Amino acid sequence: MEARPALDNGALGREAWSVLGANRTGSCTVPAPGLYPHQWNWDTAFVVAGLARWDTRRAGAELLGLMEGQWRTGMVPHIVFHPSHASHAETYFPGPAFWRSRDHPASPRRVPTSGLTQPPSQALALWWVWRHATDRDEAAALVRRVHPMLVAQHDHIAATRDLGGGGLAAIVHPWESGMDDSPVWDAPLDALPPLHPAYRGREPHGEPHGEPHGEPHGEPQTGHHDRYVWLASRYRDSGYDPAYLHDHPFAVEDPMFNGIWLASCEALAELAPVAGADPAPHREAAERIRAALLERLWFDGLFHARDLRSGRLSPVCAVGSFGPLLDPGLPSDRVDTLVGVLESPRFMGAAGYPVPSCEIRSPQFDRSRYWRGPSWVITNWLLLRAADAHGRTELARLLAAGTLRLVRQAGFRECFDPFDGSGRGSRDFSASAALTLDLLADNVAV
Ligand code: GLC
């Protein structure tokens, strides 16, 4: 456990602002110094949501910065390499030279990007800005400008990612989940064919994972990093062709990705009147995703990821299993069951701090390896807002209070040991700092 005096709310808030100030580079906030020196997709949504109640203008600028990377297909890439970050561009692997976005005619001309996406969390963040805006006119102008871009993002997902034909979106790479090393991807990755030696040892990285920016995520135990690179290059070499994805060897329907997509459809519907658009198609999309989630991923009292290549549901339960709680229309009996599992010793009940990223009793659980056990502010925040939306105020309070204890004691780390609360991964992680600002605005009793 790191020795550091617990901070009061005022000091915690000042520290969060200073992290967000230091991580602002050019037109956007990067997730962390050193390790992640570019603009990331869902990190931006969390920074935007965190700023919503404090600074409408900056929240809008962050979102617009990400949307500069949107492709004309509607795809919002998982990384945007702004020219202001050029000096870092090739220290991060895989960088622009790997993704070759400019070879694709629909990619933006001004900024290179990756060719994958991440959970479509931007509409959710925009709705949070609209609900809490400090400047209503600024927020309305932002909604009018960004809403059509987000509609295009959703249309692209619906048109290209229903690889199972049942109404859900499939991710085609673990990085698209945002929960990169989750054991949920182990089985589909282990089923890939043996790799050419050229791909061995290609670990994605920014600066070395050492001090002062953070600690190692742990040696890759699973040997999956080379598979990550191989999978991404297969898709790239197809010219990022959606038709190719039907044969791509990795395709998984993830409950968190789809839960976020559904909640973002509801958000687009809520925002439609502000943007002068019709809410009906977004409500219909939400209903379709809700029905598909229940039909395709619900089993034995929980949502599970479905590997489309084997047809099997994942035996590992992870924090992503609770993603559909983000759906305000999830039937209340399912909400009760999910909350029961979340509060049980399988997840929160046996941990000192919310919410372990993997079920504690699972053989793959590891309290130190990222996405294989540690708790994250970002998933805690999603789940506490979901709990609020279902009127589970005590659960929301517990999640918020536990999250604030983590950052008070260990700082704005990327993730935390769920038993003793010590920090893991990068330091000065923007999403952790920004979402803390959102929690501070609630004045949670700790
Ligand atoms: C890691 C995390 C992912 C995040 C990215 C940038 O890859 O797993 O969730 O978006 O870092 O912070």
Short mmCIF file of all heavy atoms in Angstrom, two decimals, residues 10-45:
data_model
loop_
_atom_site.label_atom_id
_atom_site.label_comp_id
_atom_site.label_asym_id
_atom_site.label_seq_id
_atom_site.Cartn_x
_atom_site.Cartn_y
_atom_site.Cartn_z
N GLY A 10 -11.33 19.10 -1.38
CA GLY A 10 -10.74 20.26 -2.06
C GLY A 10 -9.40 19.91 -2.67
O GLY A 10 -9.14 20.17 -3.85
N ALA A 11 -8.55 19.24 -1.88
CA ALA A 11 -7.21 18.89 -2.37
C ALA A 11 -7.31 17.85 -3.49
O ALA A 11 -6.56 17.91 -4.48
CB ALA A 11 -6.37 18.36 -1.22
N LEU A 12 -8.25 16.92 -3.35
CA LEU A 12 -8.42 15.89 -4.39
C LEU A 12 -8.82 16.55 -5.72
O LEU A 12 -8.28 16.23 -6.78
CB LEU A 12 -9.49 14.89 -3.94
CG LEU A 12 -9.63 13.63 -4.76
CD1 LEU A 12 -8.36 12.78 -4.67
CD2 LEU A 12 -10.83 12.80 -4.26
N GLY A 13 -9.76 17.47 -5.64
CA GLY A 13 -10.21 18.19 -6.83
C GLY A 13 -9.05 18.97 -7.47
O GLY A 13 -8.86 18.93 -8.69
N ARG A 14 -8.26 19.64 -6.65
CA ARG A 14 -7.13 20.42 -7.21
C ARG A 14 -6.15 19.48 -7.90
O ARG A 14 -5.63 19.77 -8.97
CB ARG A 14 -6.44 21.22 -6.10
CG ARG A 14 -7.20 22.48 -5.70
CD ARG A 14 -6.36 23.41 -4.83
NE ARG A 14 -6.03 22.83 -3.54
CZ ARG A 14 -6.88 22.78 -2.49
NH1 ARG A 14 -8.10 23.28 -2.59
NH2 ARG A 14 -6.49 22.24 -1.35
N GLU A 15 -5.91 18.32 -7.29
CA GLU A 15 -4.98 17.36 -7.93
C GLU A 15 -5.53 16.85 -9.26
O GLU A 15 -4.80 16.68 -10.22
CB GLU A 15 -4.73 16.16 -7.01
CG GLU A 15 -3.37 16.24 -6.41
CD GLU A 15 -2.92 14.97 -5.71
OE1 GLU A 15 -3.26 13.84 -6.11
OE2 GLU A 15 -2.19 15.14 -4.73
N ALA A 16 -6.85 16.61 -9.28
CA ALA A 16 -7.46 16.12 -10.52
C ALA A 16 -7.29 17.16 -11.63
O ALA A 16 -6.91 16.83 -12.76
CB ALA A 16 -8.94 15.81 -10.29
N TRP A 17 -7.55 18.43 -11.29
CA TRP A 17 -7.39 19.48 -12.31
C TRP A 17 -5.94 19.58 -12.76
O TRP A 17 -5.66 19.83 -13.93
CB TRP A 17 -7.86 20.84 -11.76
CG TRP A 17 -9.36 20.97 -11.78
CD1 TRP A 17 -10.18 21.05 -10.70
CD2 TRP A 17 -10.21 21.04 -12.95
NE1 TRP A 17 -11.49 21.15 -11.11
CE2 TRP A 17 -11.53 21.14 -12.47
CE3 TRP A 17 -9.98 21.00 -14.31
CZ2 TRP A 17 -12.64 21.21 -13.34
CZ3 TRP A 17 -11.07 21.07 -15.18
CH2 TRP A 17 -12.38 21.18 -14.69
N SER A 18 -5.02 19.38 -11.84
CA SER A 18 -3.63 19.53 -12.26
C SER A 18 -3.22 18.38 -13.18
O SER A 18 -2.49 18.60 -14.16
CB SER A 18 -2.75 19.75 -11.02
OG SER A 18 -1.86 18.72 -10.84
N VAL A 19 -3.73 17.17 -12.94
CA VAL A 19 -3.45 16.06 -13.86
C VAL A 19 -4.04 16.37 -15.24
O VAL A 19 -3.39 16.20 -16.28
CB VAL A 19 -4.03 14.73 -13.30
CG1 VAL A 19 -4.09 13.66 -14.38
CG2 VAL A 19 -3.20 14.26 -12.11
N LEU A 20 -5.29 16.86 -15.25
CA LEU A 20 -5.94 17.14 -16.54
C LEU A 20 -5.23 18.28 -17.27
O LEU A 20 -5.19 18.32 -18.50
CB LEU A 20 -7.42 17.46 -16.34
CG LEU A 20 -8.27 16.28 -15.89
CD1 LEU A 20 -9.70 16.71 -15.64
CD2 LEU A 20 -8.24 15.15 -16.93
N GLY A 21 -4.67 19.21 -16.49
CA GLY A 21 -3.91 20.31 -17.11
C GLY A 21 -2.63 19.77 -17.72
O GLY A 21 -2.29 20.05 -18.87
N ALA A 22 -1.92 18.95 -16.96
CA ALA A 22 -0.62 18.45 -17.43
C ALA A 22 -0.79 17.51 -18.63
O ALA A 22 0.07 17.44 -19.50
CB ALA A 22 0.09 17.72 -16.29
N ASN A 23 -1.90 16.79 -18.69
CA ASN A 23 -2.10 15.82 -19.78
C ASN A 23 -2.74 16.45 -21.02
O ASN A 23 -2.98 15.75 -22.01
CB ASN A 23 -2.96 14.64 -19.30
CG ASN A 23 -2.22 13.76 -18.32
OD1 ASN A 23 -1.03 13.96 -18.09
ND2 ASN A 23 -2.90 12.78 -17.74
N ARG A 24 -3.04 17.73 -20.95
CA ARG A 24 -3.60 18.38 -22.13
C ARG A 24 -2.45 18.76 -23.05
O ARG A 24 -1.56 19.52 -22.70
CB ARG A 24 -4.41 19.61 -21.75
CG ARG A 24 -5.16 20.15 -22.94
CD ARG A 24 -6.25 21.14 -22.55
NE ARG A 24 -6.72 21.84 -23.73
CZ ARG A 24 -7.69 21.41 -24.52
NH1 ARG A 24 -8.34 20.30 -24.23
NH2 ARG A 24 -8.05 22.08 -25.59
N THR A 25 -2.48 18.18 -24.24
CA THR A 25 -1.40 18.39 -25.20
C THR A 25 -2.04 18.86 -26.48
O THR A 25 -2.84 18.12 -27.05
CB THR A 25 -0.67 17.06 -25.49
OG1 THR A 25 -0.50 16.37 -24.27
CG2 THR A 25 0.66 17.27 -26.15
N GLY A 26 -1.75 20.08 -26.90
CA GLY A 26 -2.38 20.57 -28.13
C GLY A 26 -3.88 20.60 -27.94
O GLY A 26 -4.40 21.17 -26.98
N SER A 27 -4.60 19.91 -28.84
CA SER A 27 -6.05 20.06 -28.86
C SER A 27 -6.80 19.07 -27.98
O SER A 27 -8.01 19.04 -27.98
CB SER A 27 -6.54 19.90 -30.30
OG SER A 27 -6.13 18.63 -30.77
N CYS A 28 -6.10 18.20 -27.25
CA CYS A 28 -6.84 17.21 -26.47
C CYS A 28 -6.06 16.75 -25.26
O CYS A 28 -4.89 17.07 -25.09
CB CYS A 28 -7.18 16.01 -27.34
SG CYS A 28 -5.75 14.99 -27.62
N THR A 29 -6.76 15.97 -24.44
CA THR A 29 -6.14 15.40 -23.25
C THR A 29 -5.75 13.96 -23.55
O THR A 29 -6.60 13.17 -23.96
CB THR A 29 -7.16 15.44 -22.09
OG1 THR A 29 -7.52 16.81 -21.89
CG2 THR A 29 -6.57 14.90 -20.81
N VAL A 30 -4.48 13.65 -23.36
CA VAL A 30 -4.04 12.27 -23.61
C VAL A 30 -4.32 11.44 -22.35
O VAL A 30 -4.42 12.00 -21.25
CB VAL A 30 -2.54 12.21 -24.00
CG1 VAL A 30 -2.29 13.05 -25.25
CG2 VAL A 30 -1.63 12.65 -22.86
N PRO A 31 -4.49 10.11 -22.49
CA PRO A 31 -4.86 9.32 -21.31
C PRO A 31 -3.84 9.36 -20.18
O PRO A 31 -4.20 9.35 -19.01
CB PRO A 31 -5.01 7.90 -21.86
CG PRO A 31 -5.30 8.08 -23.31
CD PRO A 31 -4.56 9.32 -23.72
N ALA A 32 -2.56 9.38 -20.52
CA ALA A 32 -1.52 9.40 -19.48
C ALA A 32 -0.21 9.82 -20.14
O ALA A 32 0.02 9.50 -21.30
CB ALA A 32 -1.37 8.02 -18.85
N PRO A 33 0.65 10.49 -19.37
CA PRO A 33 1.94 10.86 -19.96
C PRO A 33 2.76 9.61 -20.23
O PRO A 33 2.68 8.64 -19.48
CB PRO A 33 2.59 11.71 -18.86
CG PRO A 33 1.90 11.31 -17.59
CD PRO A 33 0.53 10.86 -17.96
N GLY A 34 3.51 9.62 -21.31
CA GLY A 34 4.44 8.51 -21.56
C GLY A 34 3.76 7.29 -22.16
O GLY A 34 3.92 6.99 -23.33
N LEU A 35 2.96 6.60 -21.36
CA LEU A 35 2.39 5.33 -21.82
C LEU A 35 1.40 5.49 -22.97
O LEU A 35 1.37 4.69 -23.88
CB LEU A 35 1.64 4.66 -20.66
CG LEU A 35 2.42 3.81 -19.68
CD1 LEU A 35 1.45 3.17 -18.68
CD2 LEU A 35 3.22 2.73 -20.38
N TYR A 36 0.56 6.51 -22.87
CA TYR A 36 -0.52 6.69 -23.85
C TYR A 36 -0.50 8.12 -24.37
O TYR A 36 -1.30 8.96 -23.95
CB TYR A 36 -1.88 6.40 -23.19
CG TYR A 36 -1.98 5.05 -22.52
CD1 TYR A 36 -2.19 4.97 -21.14
CD2 TYR A 36 -1.89 3.87 -23.25
CE1 TYR A 36 -2.29 3.73 -20.51
CE2 TYR A 36 -2.00 2.63 -22.62
CZ TYR A 36 -2.19 2.57 -21.26
OH TYR A 36 -2.30 1.35 -20.63
N PRO A 37 0.39 8.44 -25.29
CA PRO A 37 0.61 9.84 -25.66
C PRO A 37 -0.26 10.36 -26.82
O PRO A 37 0.12 11.30 -27.49
CB PRO A 37 2.09 9.86 -26.04
CG PRO A 37 2.36 8.48 -26.55
CD PRO A 37 1.40 7.54 -25.88
N HIS A 38 -1.43 9.77 -27.05
CA HIS A 38 -2.30 10.23 -28.15
C HIS A 38 -3.73 10.35 -27.62
O HIS A 38 -3.97 10.13 -26.44
CB HIS A 38 -2.21 9.26 -29.33
CG HIS A 38 -0.79 9.09 -29.81
ND1 HIS A 38 -0.14 10.06 -30.54
CD2 HIS A 38 0.11 8.11 -29.59
CE1 HIS A 38 1.12 9.66 -30.77
NE2 HIS A 38 1.30 8.49 -30.20
N GLN A 39 -4.68 10.63 -28.52
CA GLN A 39 -6.07 10.73 -28.04
C GLN A 39 -6.76 9.39 -28.24
O GLN A 39 -6.76 8.84 -29.34
CB GLN A 39 -6.84 11.84 -28.77
CG GLN A 39 -8.22 12.06 -28.14
CD GLN A 39 -8.96 13.30 -28.64
OE1 GLN A 39 -8.65 13.83 -29.71
NE2 GLN A 39 -9.93 13.76 -27.86
N TRP A 40 -7.34 8.88 -27.16
CA TRP A 40 -8.04 7.59 -27.21
C TRP A 40 -9.54 7.81 -27.19
O TRP A 40 -10.04 8.78 -26.61
CB TRP A 40 -7.66 6.72 -26.01
CG TRP A 40 -6.72 5.60 -26.33
CD1 TRP A 40 -7.04 4.30 -26.50
CD2 TRP A 40 -5.29 5.68 -26.48
NE1 TRP A 40 -5.90 3.55 -26.75
CE2 TRP A 40 -4.82 4.38 -26.75
CE3 TRP A 40 -4.36 6.72 -26.44
CZ2 TRP A 40 -3.48 4.09 -26.96
CZ3 TRP A 40 -3.04 6.44 -26.65
CH2 TRP A 40 -2.60 5.14 -26.91
N ASN A 41 -10.26 6.86 -27.78
CA ASN A 41 -11.69 6.95 -28.00
C ASN A 41 -12.49 6.97 -26.70
O ASN A 41 -13.12 7.97 -26.35
CB ASN A 41 -12.04 5.76 -28.91
CG ASN A 41 -13.50 5.59 -29.20
OD1 ASN A 41 -14.34 5.75 -28.35
ND2 ASN A 41 -13.82 5.24 -30.44
N TRP A 42 -12.50 5.85 -25.95
CA TRP A 42 -13.40 5.87 -24.79
C TRP A 42 -12.83 6.68 -23.65
O TRP A 42 -13.57 7.24 -22.85
CB TRP A 42 -13.93 4.49 -24.39
CG TRP A 42 -13.12 3.57 -23.53
CD1 TRP A 42 -11.78 3.56 -23.35
CD2 TRP A 42 -13.65 2.50 -22.72
NE1 TRP A 42 -11.43 2.54 -22.51
CE2 TRP A 42 -12.56 1.88 -22.09
CE3 TRP A 42 -14.93 2.01 -22.46
CZ2 TRP A 42 -12.70 0.78 -21.24
CZ3 TRP A 42 -15.06 0.92 -21.60
CH2 TRP A 42 -13.97 0.33 -21.00
N ASP A 43 -11.49 6.81 -23.57
CA ASP A 43 -10.91 7.72 -22.56
C ASP A 43 -11.46 9.12 -22.75
O ASP A 43 -11.74 9.84 -21.78
CB ASP A 43 -9.38 7.78 -22.69
CG ASP A 43 -8.73 6.41 -22.48
OD1 ASP A 43 -8.90 5.54 -23.35
OD2 ASP A 43 -8.06 6.22 -21.45
N THR A 44 -11.62 9.54 -24.03
CA THR A 44 -12.15 10.88 -24.29
C THR A 44 -13.57 11.00 -23.75
O THR A 44 -13.92 12.01 -23.13
CB THR A 44 -12.14 11.16 -25.81
OG1 THR A 44 -10.78 11.10 -26.25
CG2 THR A 44 -12.71 12.53 -26.13
N ALA A 45 -14.37 9.96 -23.94
CA ALA A 45 -15.75 10.01 -23.42
C ALA A 45 -15.72 10.20 -21.90
O ALA A 45 -16.53 10.96 -21.35
CB ALA A 45 -16.50 8.73 -23.79
#
